[in-house]
Amino acid sequence: MKTFLAVVLAIVVGFASMSLADEASDTRALAEQGLAEAQNNLGIMYDNGKGVPQDYVEAAKWFRLAAAQGLAEAQNNLGLMYDEGKGVPQDYVAAAKWYRLAAAQGFANAQRNLGLMYFNGKGLPQDKAEAVKWYRRAAAQGLAAAQLNLGIMYSIGQGVPQDYVAAHMWLNLAAAQGDAAAQKGRDIVAAQMTPEQIAEAQKRAREWKPK
């Protein structure tokens, strides 16, 4: 019985591998025709080692081709490669450049990443108010990580005046998406608030809608 199960498992894994390899082959064909989405997807495959051997240099190559065509997701992905020094020399200035291009198109992850660059002063002059600006744009789209960042900024009064009601609202929104850090942060902030302030923050969270 164990042998039979092992054979079945091997067949299933084999089919899955073939499927990933076939997907990579199809994606490469489209990428080589110049389709930006396919170029970005092929970059992701190389970045993750799915369907192709993991190769950060190849990932960066395909992200760059798609980014040059203006695809926001690829611009953000290329920014991440520069940010982390994967497949390219680490270069925070280049990372910020690509994040900004994607952020300007409204790509939420890039907006948050650009906010992080401003917050940490990497590739850009440190500017907490600018960090808040970009966190807010990503948070407004419903990105939990950005909502967490924005909530923290309100809780400690960096880049914005300290505001526990606003902090609780943003942390609560991120917590509702399952962000454990936001859940802890919300509870810490709540301990500094009156029941009336908590009620107001909860009301704002209930009424909030992504833009």
Side-chain angles (χ1 to χ4, degrees):
M1 183 66 177
K2 289 182 179 179
T3 302
F4 174 75
L5 289 175
V7 171
V8 171
L9 181 60
I11 292 172
V12 170
V13 171
F15 275 127
S17 300
M18 287 175 59
S19 178
L20 286 171
D22 289 344
E23 182 182 350
S25 178
D26 292 344
T27 301
R28 181 183 299 279
L30 293 171
E32 290 174 347
Q33 293 175 37
L35 186 67
E37 290 80 3
Q39 292 171 339
N40 180 64
N41 289 340
L42 187 57
I44 293 172
M45 289 178 169
Y46 274 113
D47 189 23
N48 296 324
K50 296 292 179 66
V52 293
Q54 189 172 54
D55 188 329
Y56 295 139
V57 173
E58 277 292 302
K61 164 190 162 182
W62 289 106
F63 288 150
R64 190 183 305 280
L65 288 169
Q69 295 194 61
L71 187 67
E73 183 179 354
Q75 291 170 340
N76 180 67
N77 288 337
L78 184 58
L80 283 169
M81 301 300 273
Y82 276 113
D83 201 349
E84 299 172 5
K86 290 168 57 178
V88 292
Q90 191 170 53
D91 186 336
Y92 293 133
V93 173
K97 166 196 165 182
W98 289 107
Y99 287 153
R100 187 180 299 280
L101 287 169
Q105 296 190 61
F107 194 72
N109 284 305
Q111 291 172 336
R112 175 182 180 258
N113 289 336
L114 186 58
L116 290 171
M117 301 299 272
Y118 273 115
F119 180 82
N120 294 310
K122 289 184 175 181
L124 297 163
Q126 190 174 54
D127 188 329
K128 302 296 177 63
E130 276 293 304
V132 167
K133 166 186 160 182
W134 290 104
Y135 290 157
R136 189 185 307 281
R137 291 186 181 183
Q141 295 191 60
L143 186 67
Q147 292 172 339
L148 168 63
N149 294 136
L150 185 56
I152 291 172
M153 298 298 269
Y154 271 115
S155 71
I156 60 180
Q158 287 196 359
V160 287
Q162 190 176 53
D163 185 336
Y164 287 142
V165 172
H168 190 287
M169 182 198 81
W170 286 112
L171 292 169
N172 202 20
L173 288 168
Q177 297 190 59
D179 191 302
Q183 293 171 7
K184 291 179 182 178
R186 177 197 60 199
D187 294 342
I188 291 170
V189 169
Q192 309 299 317
M193 300 169 67
T194 66
E196 291 76 19
Q197 287 175 317
I198 293 173
E200 174 61 22
Q202 291 173 334
K203 176 176 178 291
R204 292 185 190 181
R206 286 195 302 271
E207 295 176 348
W208 179 85
K209 291 182 175 58
K211 296 180 180 178

